[in-house]
Coordinates of all heavy atoms in Angstrom, one line a residue:
M1489 N -49.9 -53.5 7.7 CA -50.2 -54.5 8.7 C -49.4 -55.7 8.4 O -49.5 -56.2 7.3 CB -51.7 -54.7 8.8 CG -52.1 -55.8 9.8 SD -53.8 -55.9 10.1 CE -54.4 -56.7 8.6
V1490 N -48.8 -56.3 9.4 CA -48.0 -57.5 9.3 C -48.9 -58.7 9.7 O -49.5 -58.7 10.7 CB -46.8 -57.5 10.2 CG1 -46.0 -58.8 10.1 CG2 -45.9 -56.3 9.8
M1491 N -49.1 -59.6 8.8 CA -49.9 -60.8 9.1 C -49.3 -61.6 10.2 O -48.1 -61.7 10.3 CB -50.1 -61.7 7.9 CG -50.8 -61.1 6.7 SD -52.4 -60.4 7.2 CE -53.3 -61.9 7.5
G1492 N -50.1 -62.0 11.1 CA -49.7 -62.8 12.3 C -49.3 -61.9 13.5 O -48.9 -62.4 14.5
A1493 N -49.3 -60.6 13.3 CA -49.0 -59.7 14.4 C -50.1 -59.9 15.4 O -51.2 -60.0 15.1 CB -48.9 -58.3 13.9
P1494 N -49.7 -59.9 16.7 CA -50.7 -60.1 17.8 C -51.7 -59.0 17.8 O -52.9 -59.3 18.1 CB -49.9 -60.1 19.1 CG -48.4 -59.9 18.7 CD -48.3 -59.8 17.2
V1495 N -51.3 -57.7 17.6 CA -52.3 -56.6 17.7 C -52.2 -55.8 16.4 O -51.1 -55.5 15.9 CB -52.0 -55.8 18.9 CG1 -52.9 -54.6 19.0 CG2 -52.0 -56.6 20.2
A1496 N -53.3 -55.4 15.9 CA -53.3 -54.5 14.7 C -54.4 -53.5 14.9 O -55.5 -53.9 15.2 CB -53.5 -55.3 13.4
A1497 N -54.2 -52.3 14.6 CA -55.2 -51.3 14.6 C -55.6 -51.0 13.2 O -54.8 -50.8 12.3 CB -54.7 -50.0 15.3
S1498 N -56.9 -51.0 13.0 CA -57.5 -50.7 11.7 C -57.5 -49.2 11.4 O -57.2 -48.4 12.3 CB -58.9 -51.3 11.5 OG -59.7 -50.7 12.4
A1499 N -57.9 -48.8 10.3 CA -58.0 -47.4 9.9 C -58.9 -46.6 10.9 O -58.6 -45.4 11.2 CB -58.5 -47.2 8.5
D1500 N -59.9 -47.3 11.5 CA -60.8 -46.6 12.4 C -60.3 -46.7 13.8 O -61.0 -46.2 14.8 CB -62.2 -47.1 12.3 CG -62.4 -48.5 12.5 OD1 -61.4 -49.2 12.9 OD2 -63.5 -49.1 12.4
G1501 N -59.1 -47.2 14.0 CA -58.5 -47.2 15.4 C -58.9 -48.4 16.2 O -58.6 -48.5 17.4
V1502 N -59.7 -49.3 15.7 CA -60.2 -50.5 16.4 C -59.1 -51.6 16.4 O -58.6 -51.9 15.4 CB -61.5 -51.1 15.8 CG1 -61.9 -52.4 16.5 CG2 -62.6 -50.0 15.9
T1503 N -58.8 -52.1 17.6 CA -57.7 -53.1 17.7 C -58.3 -54.5 17.4 O -59.4 -54.8 17.9 CB -57.1 -53.1 19.1 OG1 -56.6 -51.8 19.3 CG2 -56.0 -54.1 19.3
S1504 N -57.6 -55.3 16.6 CA -58.1 -56.6 16.3 C -56.9 -57.6 16.7 O -55.8 -57.3 16.6 CB -58.5 -56.8 14.9 OG -57.4 -56.7 14.0
Y1505 N -57.3 -58.8 17.0 CA -56.4 -59.9 17.4 C -56.6 -61.1 16.5 O -57.8 -61.4 16.2 CB -56.7 -60.3 18.8 CG -56.5 -59.1 19.8 CD1 -57.6 -58.4 20.1 CD2 -55.3 -58.8 20.4 CE1 -57.5 -57.3 21.0 CE2 -55.2 -57.7 21.2 CZ -56.3 -57.0 21.6 OH -56.2 -56.0 22.5
P1506 N -55.6 -61.8 16.1 CA -55.7 -63.0 15.3 C -56.2 -64.2 16.1 O -55.8 -64.4 17.3 CB -54.3 -63.3 14.7 CG -53.4 -62.7 15.8 CD -54.2 -61.5 16.4
I1507 N -57.0 -65.1 15.5 CA -57.4 -66.4 16.0 C -56.2 -67.3 15.7 O -55.4 -67.1 14.7 CB -58.6 -66.9 15.3 CG1 -59.8 -66.0 15.5 CG2 -58.9 -68.3 15.7 CD1 -60.2 -65.9 17.0
A1508 N -56.0 -68.3 16.6 CA -54.8 -69.2 16.5 C -54.8 -69.9 15.1 O -55.9 -70.3 14.6 CB -54.9 -70.3 17.5
P1509 N -53.6 -69.9 14.4 CA -53.5 -70.5 13.1 C -54.0 -71.9 13.1 O -53.7 -72.7 14.0 CB -52.0 -70.4 12.8 CG -51.5 -69.4 13.7 CD -52.4 -69.4 14.9
G1510 N -54.7 -72.3 12.0 CA -55.2 -73.7 11.9 C -56.4 -74.0 12.6 O -56.9 -75.2 12.7
Y1511 N -57.1 -73.0 13.3 CA -58.3 -73.3 14.0 C -59.5 -72.5 13.5 O -59.3 -71.3 13.1 CB -58.1 -72.9 15.5 CG -57.2 -73.8 16.3 CD1 -55.8 -73.5 16.3 CD2 -57.7 -74.8 17.0 CE1 -55.0 -74.4 17.0 CE2 -56.8 -75.7 17.8 CZ -55.5 -75.4 17.7 OH -54.7 -76.2 18.4
S1512 N -60.6 -73.2 13.5 CA -61.9 -72.4 13.3 C -62.5 -72.5 14.7 O -62.3 -73.4 15.5 CB -62.8 -73.1 12.3 OG -63.0 -74.4 12.6
V1513 N -63.1 -71.4 15.1 CA -63.5 -71.2 16.6 C -65.0 -71.1 16.7 O -65.6 -70.2 16.0 CB -62.8 -70.0 17.2 CG1 -63.2 -69.8 18.6 CG2 -61.3 -70.3 17.1
N1514 N -65.6 -71.8 17.6 CA -67.0 -71.7 17.9 C -67.3 -70.3 18.6 O -66.6 -70.0 19.6 CB -67.6 -72.8 18.8 CG -67.6 -74.1 18.1 OD1 -67.7 -74.2 16.8 ND2 -67.4 -75.2 18.8
V1515 N -68.3 -69.6 18.1 CA -68.7 -68.4 18.8 C -70.0 -68.7 19.5 O -70.9 -69.3 18.9 CB -69.0 -67.3 17.7 CG1 -69.5 -66.0 18.4 CG2 -67.8 -67.0 16.9
R1516 N -70.0 -68.5 20.8 CA -71.1 -68.9 21.6 C -71.9 -67.7 22.1 O -71.4 -66.6 22.1 CB -70.6 -69.7 22.8 CG -69.9 -71.0 22.3 CD -69.6 -72.0 23.4 NE -69.1 -73.2 22.9 CZ -69.8 -74.3 22.6 NH1 -71.1 -74.3 22.7 NH2 -69.2 -75.4 22.2
S1517 N -73.1 -68.0 22.6 CA -74.0 -66.9 23.0 C -73.7 -66.4 24.4 O -74.3 -65.4 24.9 CB -75.5 -67.4 23.0 OG -75.7 -68.5 23.8
G1518 N -72.8 -67.1 25.1 CA -72.4 -66.6 26.5 C -71.0 -67.2 26.8 O -70.4 -67.9 26.0
P1519 N -70.4 -66.8 27.9 CA -69.1 -67.2 28.3 C -68.9 -68.6 28.8 O -68.5 -68.8 30.0 CB -68.7 -66.1 29.3 CG -70.0 -65.9 30.0 CD -71.1 -66.0 29.0
G1520 N -69.2 -69.6 28.0 CA -69.0 -71.0 28.4 C -69.4 -72.0 27.3 O -70.1 -71.6 26.4
T1521 N -68.9 -73.2 27.5 CA -69.1 -74.2 26.5 C -70.5 -74.8 26.4 O -70.9 -75.4 25.5 CB -68.1 -75.4 26.6 OG1 -68.2 -75.9 28.0 CG2 -66.7 -74.9 26.4
S1522 N -71.3 -74.5 27.5 CA -72.7 -74.9 27.5 C -73.6 -74.0 26.7 O -74.8 -74.3 26.5 CB -73.2 -75.1 28.9 OG -73.1 -73.9 29.6
Y1523 N -73.1 -72.8 26.4 CA -73.9 -71.8 25.6 C -74.0 -72.3 24.2 O -73.2 -72.9 23.6 CB -73.3 -70.4 25.7 CG -73.5 -69.8 27.1 CD1 -72.6 -70.0 28.1 CD2 -74.6 -69.0 27.4 CE1 -72.7 -69.4 29.3 CE2 -74.8 -68.4 28.6 CZ -73.8 -68.6 29.6 OH -74.0 -68.0 30.8
R1524 N -75.1 -71.8 23.6 CA -75.4 -72.2 22.2 C -74.4 -71.6 21.2 O -73.9 -70.5 21.4 CB -76.8 -71.6 21.8 CG -77.3 -71.7 20.4 CD -78.7 -71.1 20.3 NE -78.8 -69.7 20.7 CZ -78.6 -68.7 19.8 NH1 -78.2 -69.0 18.6 NH2 -78.7 -67.4 20.2
I1525 N -74.0 -72.4 20.2 CA -73.1 -71.9 19.2 C -73.9 -71.0 18.2 O -74.9 -71.5 17.6 CB -72.4 -73.1 18.4 CG1 -71.5 -73.9 19.4 CG2 -71.6 -72.6 17.2 CD1 -71.0 -75.2 18.8
V1526 N -73.5 -69.8 18.0 CA -74.2 -68.9 17.1 C -73.6 -68.8 15.7 O -74.3 -68.5 14.8 CB -74.4 -67.5 17.8 CG1 -75.2 -67.5 19.0 CG2 -73.0 -66.8 18.1
R1527 N -72.3 -69.1 15.6 CA -71.6 -69.1 14.4 C -70.2 -69.7 14.6 O -69.8 -69.9 15.7 CB -71.6 -67.7 13.7 CG -70.8 -66.7 14.4 CD -70.9 -65.3 13.7 NE -70.2 -64.3 14.4 CZ -69.2 -63.6 14.0 NH1 -68.6 -63.9 12.8 NH2 -68.7 -62.6 14.7
V1528 N -69.5 -69.9 13.5 CA -68.1 -70.4 13.6 C -67.2 -69.4 12.9 O -67.5 -69.1 11.7 CB -68.0 -71.8 13.0 CG1 -66.5 -72.3 13.1 CG2 -68.9 -72.8 13.8
L1529 N -66.1 -69.0 13.5 CA -65.1 -68.2 12.9 C -64.2 -69.1 12.0 O -63.7 -70.0 12.5 CB -64.3 -67.4 13.9 CG -65.0 -66.4 14.7 CD1 -64.0 -65.8 15.8 CD2 -65.5 -65.2 13.9
P1530 N -64.0 -68.7 10.8 CA -63.1 -69.6 9.9 C -61.7 -69.3 10.3 O -61.3 -68.3 10.9 CB -63.4 -69.1 8.5 CG -64.0 -67.7 8.7 CD -64.6 -67.7 10.0
E1531 N -60.8 -70.3 9.9 CA -59.4 -70.1 10.0 C -58.9 -68.8 9.5 O -59.5 -68.3 8.4 CB -58.6 -71.2 9.3 CG -58.7 -72.6 9.9 CD -57.9 -73.6 9.2 OE1 -56.8 -73.3 8.8 OE2 -58.4 -74.8 9.1
G1532 N -58.0 -68.1 10.1 CA -57.4 -66.9 9.6 C -58.2 -65.7 10.1 O -57.9 -64.5 9.6
S1533 N -59.2 -65.8 10.9 CA -60.0 -64.7 11.3 C -59.3 -63.8 12.3 O -58.4 -64.2 13.0 CB -61.3 -65.2 12.0 OG -62.2 -65.8 11.1
R1534 N -59.7 -62.5 12.3 CA -59.3 -61.6 13.4 C -60.5 -61.1 14.1 O -61.6 -61.0 13.4 CB -58.5 -60.4 12.7 CG -57.2 -60.8 12.1 CD -56.4 -59.6 11.6 NE -55.8 -58.9 12.7 CZ -54.6 -59.1 13.2 NH1 -53.8 -60.0 12.7 NH2 -54.2 -58.4 14.3
V1535 N -60.4 -60.8 15.4 CA -61.5 -60.3 16.1 C -61.2 -59.0 16.9 O -60.0 -58.8 17.3 CB -62.0 -61.4 17.1 CG1 -62.6 -62.6 16.4 CG2 -61.0 -61.8 18.1
S1536 N -62.2 -58.2 17.1 CA -62.1 -57.0 18.0 C -62.8 -57.5 19.3 O -63.8 -58.1 19.2 CB -62.8 -55.8 17.4 OG -62.1 -55.4 16.2
I1537 N -62.2 -57.1 20.4 CA -62.7 -57.5 21.7 C -63.3 -56.2 22.3 O -62.6 -55.3 22.6 CB -61.6 -58.1 22.6 CG1 -61.0 -59.3 22.0 CG2 -62.2 -58.4 24.0 CD1 -59.8 -59.8 22.7
S1538 N -64.7 -56.3 22.5 CA -65.3 -55.1 23.1 C -65.2 -55.1 24.6 O -65.0 -54.1 25.3 CB -66.8 -55.0 22.7 OG -67.5 -56.1 23.0
C1539 N -65.3 -56.3 25.2 CA -65.1 -56.5 26.7 C -64.8 -57.9 26.9 O -64.9 -58.8 26.0 CB -66.3 -56.0 27.5 SG -67.8 -56.9 27.1
Q1540 N -64.4 -58.2 28.2 CA -64.1 -59.6 28.6 C -64.7 -59.9 29.9 O -65.0 -59.1 30.7 CB -62.5 -59.8 28.7 CG -61.8 -59.6 27.4 CD -60.3 -59.7 27.5 OE1 -59.7 -58.9 28.3 NE2 -59.7 -60.7 26.9
R1541 N -65.0 -61.2 30.1 CA -65.6 -61.7 31.3 C -65.2 -63.1 31.7 O -64.8 -63.8 30.8 CB -67.1 -61.6 31.2 CG -67.8 -62.6 30.3 CD -69.3 -62.5 30.2 NE -69.9 -62.2 31.4 CZ -71.0 -61.5 31.5 NH1 -71.7 -61.1 30.4 NH2 -71.6 -61.3 32.7
P1542 N -65.2 -63.4 33.0 CA -64.9 -64.8 33.3 C -66.0 -65.8 33.0 O -67.2 -65.4 32.9 CB -64.7 -64.7 34.8 CG -65.5 -63.5 35.3 CD -65.5 -62.6 34.1
G1543 N -65.6 -67.0 32.7 CA -66.6 -68.0 32.4 C -65.9 -69.4 32.5 O -65.0 -69.6 33.3
D1544 N -66.4 -70.4 31.7 CA -65.8 -71.7 31.8 C -64.4 -71.7 31.4 O -63.9 -71.0 30.6 CB -66.5 -72.6 30.8 CG -68.0 -73.0 31.2 OD1 -68.4 -72.6 32.3 OD2 -68.7 -73.5 30.3
S1545 N -63.6 -72.6 32.1 CA -62.2 -72.7 31.8 C -62.0 -73.6 30.5 O -62.7 -74.6 30.4 CB -61.4 -73.4 32.9 OG -60.1 -73.5 32.7
V1546 N -61.2 -73.1 29.6 CA -61.0 -73.8 28.3 C -59.5 -73.9 28.1 O -58.8 -72.9 28.3 CB -61.7 -73.0 27.2 CG1 -61.3 -73.6 25.8 CG2 -63.2 -73.0 27.4
S1547 N -59.1 -75.0 27.5 CA -57.7 -75.2 27.1 C -57.6 -75.1 25.6 O -58.4 -75.6 24.9 CB -57.1 -76.5 27.5 OG -57.1 -76.6 28.9
G1548 N -56.6 -74.3 25.1 CA -56.5 -74.1 23.7 C -55.0 -73.8 23.4 O -54.1 -74.0 24.2
P1549 N -54.7 -73.4 22.1 CA -53.3 -73.2 21.7 C -52.6 -72.1 22.5 O -51.4 -72.2 22.5 CB -53.5 -72.8 20.2 CG -54.9 -72.4 20.1 CD -55.7 -73.1 21.1
Y1550 N -53.3 -71.2 23.1 CA -52.6 -70.2 23.9 C -52.8 -70.4 25.4 O -52.8 -69.5 26.2 CB -53.1 -68.8 23.5 CG -52.8 -68.5 22.1 CD1 -53.8 -68.2 21.1 CD2 -51.5 -68.5 21.6 CE1 -53.5 -68.0 19.8 CE2 -51.2 -68.3 20.3 CZ -52.2 -68.0 19.4 OH -51.9 -67.8 18.1
G1551 N -53.0 -71.7 25.8 CA -53.0 -72.0 27.2 C -54.4 -72.3 27.7 O -55.4 -72.4 26.9
T1552 N -54.6 -72.4 29.0 CA -55.8 -72.6 29.7 C -56.3 -71.4 30.4 O -55.5 -70.7 31.1 CB -55.7 -73.8 30.7 OG1 -55.3 -75.0 30.0 CG2 -57.1 -74.0 31.4
T1553 N -57.5 -70.9 30.1 CA -58.0 -69.7 30.7 C -59.5 -69.8 30.9 O -60.2 -70.6 30.3 CB -57.7 -68.5 29.7 OG1 -58.1 -67.3 30.4 CG2 -58.4 -68.7 28.4
S1554 N -60.0 -68.9 31.8 CA -61.4 -68.8 32.0 C -61.9 -67.4 31.5 O -63.0 -67.0 31.8 CB -61.8 -68.9 33.5 OG -61.1 -68.0 34.3
I1555 N -61.0 -66.7 30.8 CA -61.4 -65.4 30.2 C -62.1 -65.7 28.8 O -61.7 -66.5 28.0 CB -60.2 -64.5 29.9 CG1 -59.5 -64.2 31.3 CG2 -60.6 -63.3 29.2 CD1 -58.2 -63.5 31.1
W1556 N -63.3 -65.0 28.7 CA -64.0 -65.1 27.4 C -64.1 -63.7 26.8 O -64.3 -62.7 27.6 CB -65.4 -65.6 27.7 CG -65.4 -67.1 27.9 CD1 -64.9 -67.8 29.0 CD2 -65.8 -68.1 27.0 NE1 -65.0 -69.1 28.9 CE2 -65.5 -69.4 27.6 CE3 -66.3 -68.1 25.7 CZ2 -65.8 -70.6 27.0 CZ3 -66.6 -69.3 25.1 CH2 -66.3 -70.6 25.7
D1557 N -63.9 -63.6 25.5 CA -63.9 -62.3 24.8 C -65.3 -62.1 24.1 O -65.8 -62.9 23.4 CB -62.8 -62.4 23.7 CG -61.5 -62.7 24.3 OD1 -61.2 -62.4 25.5 OD2 -60.6 -63.2 23.5
N1558 N -65.8 -60.9 24.4 CA -67.1 -60.5 23.8 C -66.7 -59.8 22.4 O -66.0 -58.8 22.5 CB -67.9 -59.6 24.7 CG -69.2 -59.1 24.0 OD1 -69.3 -57.9 23.8 ND2 -70.1 -60.0 23.8
I1559 N -67.1 -60.4 21.3 CA -66.6 -59.9 20.0 C -67.8 -59.2 19.3 O -67.6 -58.6 18.3 CB -66.0 -61.0 19.1 CG1 -67.0 -62.2 18.9 CG2 -64.7 -61.5 19.8 CD1 -66.5 -63.1 17.8
A1560 N -69.0 -59.4 19.8 CA -70.2 -58.7 19.2 C -71.3 -58.9 20.2 O -71.2 -59.7 21.2 CB -70.6 -59.3 17.9
N1561 N -72.4 -58.2 20.0 CA -73.5 -58.4 20.9 C -74.0 -59.8 21.0 O -74.4 -60.4 20.0 CB -74.7 -57.5 20.5 CG -75.8 -57.4 21.5 OD1 -75.5 -57.6 22.7 ND2 -77.0 -57.1 21.1
G1562 N -73.8 -60.4 22.2 CA -74.3 -61.8 22.4 C -73.3 -62.8 21.8 O -73.7 -64.0 21.6
E1563 N -72.1 -62.5 21.5 CA -71.1 -63.4 20.9 C -69.8 -63.4 21.7 O -69.2 -62.4 21.8 CB -70.9 -63.0 19.4 CG -72.1 -63.1 18.5 CD -71.7 -62.9 17.1 OE1 -70.6 -62.6 16.7 OE2 -72.7 -63.0 16.3
Y1564 N -69.5 -64.6 22.1 CA -68.3 -64.8 23.0 C -67.4 -66.0 22.4 O -67.9 -67.0 21.9 CB -68.7 -65.2 24.4 CG -69.3 -64.1 25.2 CD1 -70.7 -63.9 25.1 CD2 -68.6 -63.3 26.0 CE1 -71.3 -62.9 25.8 CE2 -69.2 -62.3 26.7 CZ -70.6 -62.1 26.6 OH -71.2 -61.1 27.3
I1565 N -66.1 -65.8 22.5 CA -65.1 -66.8 22.2 C -64.1 -66.9 23.4 O -63.8 -66.0 24.0 CB -64.4 -66.6 20.9 CG1 -63.6 -65.3 20.9 CG2 -65.4 -66.7 19.7 CD1 -62.7 -65.1 19.6
S1566 N -63.6 -68.1 23.5 CA -62.6 -68.3 24.6 C -61.3 -67.6 24.2 O -60.9 -67.7 23.1 CB -62.3 -69.8 24.8 OG -61.2 -70.0 25.7
D1567 N -60.8 -66.9 25.2 CA -59.5 -66.2 25.0 C -58.3 -67.2 24.7 O -57.3 -66.8 24.3 CB -59.2 -65.4 26.2 CG -58.2 -64.3 25.9 OD1 -58.4 -63.5 25.0 OD2 -57.1 -64.2 26.6
A1568 N -58.5 -68.5 25.0 CA -57.5 -69.5 24.7 C -57.2 -69.7 23.3 O -56.2 -70.2 22.9 CB -57.9 -70.9 25.3
Y1569 N -58.1 -69.1 22.4 CA -57.9 -69.2 20.9 C -57.5 -67.9 20.3 O -57.5 -67.8 19.1 CB -59.2 -69.8 20.3 CG -59.3 -71.2 20.6 CD1 -60.1 -71.6 21.7 CD2 -58.8 -72.2 19.9 CE1 -60.3 -73.0 22.1 CE2 -58.9 -73.6 20.2 CZ -59.7 -73.9 21.3 OH -59.8 -75.2 21.6
V1570 N -57.3 -66.9 21.1 CA -57.0 -65.5 20.6 C -55.7 -65.1 21.0 O -55.3 -65.1 22.2 CB -58.1 -64.5 21.1 CG1 -57.9 -63.1 20.5 CG2 -59.5 -65.0 20.8
K1571 N -54.8 -64.6 20.0 CA -53.5 -64.2 20.3 C -53.5 -62.7 20.8 O -53.4 -61.8 19.9 CB -52.6 -64.4 19.2 CG -51.1 -64.1 19.5 CD -50.2 -64.5 18.4 CE -48.7 -64.3 18.8 NZ -47.8 -64.8 17.8
T1572 N -53.7 -62.5 22.1 CA -53.7 -61.1 22.6 C -52.3 -60.7 23.1 O -52.2 -59.5 23.3 CB -54.7 -61.0 23.8 OG1 -54.3 -61.9 24.8 CG2 -56.1 -61.4 23.4
G1573 N -51.4 -61.6 23.2 CA -50.1 -61.2 23.8 C -50.1 -61.1 25.3 O -49.1 -60.7 25.9
S1574 N -51.2 -61.6 25.9 CA -51.3 -61.5 27.4 C -52.0 -62.7 27.9 O -52.9 -63.2 27.3 CB -52.0 -60.2 27.8 OG -52.3 -60.2 29.2
D1575 N -51.7 -63.1 29.2 CA -52.5 -64.2 29.8 C -53.6 -63.6 30.6 O -54.4 -64.3 31.2 CB -51.6 -64.9 30.8 CG -50.6 -65.8 30.1 OD1 -50.8 -66.2 28.9 OD2 -49.6 -66.2 30.7
G1576 N -53.7 -62.3 30.7 CA -54.8 -61.6 31.5 C -55.7 -60.8 30.6 O -55.8 -61.0 29.4
Y1577 N -56.4 -59.9 31.2 CA -57.4 -59.1 30.5 C -56.8 -58.0 29.7 O -55.8 -57.4 30.1 CB -58.4 -58.5 31.5 CG -59.3 -59.5 32.1 CD1 -59.0 -60.2 33.3 CD2 -60.6 -59.6 31.6 CE1 -59.8 -61.2 33.8 CE2 -61.5 -60.5 32.2 CZ -61.1 -61.3 33.3 OH -62.0 -62.2 33.8
V1578 N -57.2 -57.9 28.5 CA -56.7 -56.8 27.6 C -57.8 -55.8 27.2 O -57.5 -54.9 26.4 CB -56.1 -57.4 26.3 CG1 -54.9 -58.3 26.6 CG2 -57.1 -58.2 25.5
A1579 N -59.0 -56.0 27.7 CA -60.1 -55.1 27.4 C -60.9 -55.0 28.7 O -60.7 -55.7 29.7 CB -61.0 -55.7 26.4
P1580 N -61.8 -54.0 28.8 CA -62.6 -53.8 30.0 C -63.4 -55.0 30.3 O -63.8 -55.8 29.4 CB -63.5 -52.6 29.7 CG -62.9 -52.0 28.5 CD -62.1 -53.0 27.8
R1581 N -63.7 -55.2 31.6 CA -64.7 -56.3 32.0 C -66.1 -55.9 31.5 O -66.5 -54.8 31.5 CB -64.7 -56.4 33.5 CG -63.4 -56.9 34.1 CD -63.4 -58.4 34.3 NE -62.2 -58.8 35.0 CZ -62.2 -59.6 36.0 NH1 -63.3 -60.1 36.5 NH2 -61.0 -59.9 36.6
C1582 N -66.8 -56.9 31.0 CA -68.2 -56.7 30.5 C -69.0 -56.4 31.7 O -68.9 -56.9 32.8 CB -68.7 -58.0 29.9 SG -67.8 -58.5 28.4
A1583 N -70.0 -55.5 31.5 CA -70.9 -55.1 32.6 C -71.9 -56.2 32.9 O -72.2 -57.0 32.1 CB -71.7 -53.9 32.2

């Protein structure tokens, strides 16, 4: 695996994406900045996106977007901080 690559598949086939270099990212309980912070991803983290949904618009190192990435049950981060290689959806919409 090449560090900094936008997409990497792990041994179990799960795709992960890097968080923007130099940033720690708030993980929220829902797709918006008004939701409770449940934890903080440290610099250098990679995330797997199970699904995506629209939410609050956020500006970050990868532009301004209203797409939020579901990285675990009840855990969302703004796609503006995730290097997916796309300005659009890269995972199914959350139900």
Side-chain angles (χ1 to χ4, degrees):
M1489 175 171 72
V1490 176
M1491 293 306 291
V1495 178
S1498 63
D1500 59 6
V1502 174
T1503 300
S1504 68
Y1505 302 92
I1507 298 299
Y1511 289 87
S1512 56
V1513 177
N1514 291 332
V1515 179
R1516 297 190 177 267
S1517 62
T1521 56
S1522 61
Y1523 287 89
R1524 175 176 62 86
I1525 296 171
V1526 294
R1527 65 184 173 116
V1528 177
L1529 293 175
E1531 288 184 38
S1533 293
R1534 295 185 73 91
V1535 295
S1536 296
I1537 301 171
S1538 57
C1539 62
Q1540 295 176 299
R1541 69 182 321 152
D1544 290 350
S1545 182
V1546 172
S1547 294
Y1550 298 121
T1552 300
T1553 184
S1554 60
I1555 298 173
W1556 285 74
D1557 303 332
N1558 179 246
I1559 60 169
N1561 189 26
E1563 294 188 359
Y1564 292 86
I1565 59 174
S1566 171
D1567 198 58
Y1569 290 92
V1570 183
K1571 187 172 186 175
T1572 62
S1574 172
D1575 288 339
Y1577 288 84
V1578 297
R1581 296 264 184 133
C1582 300

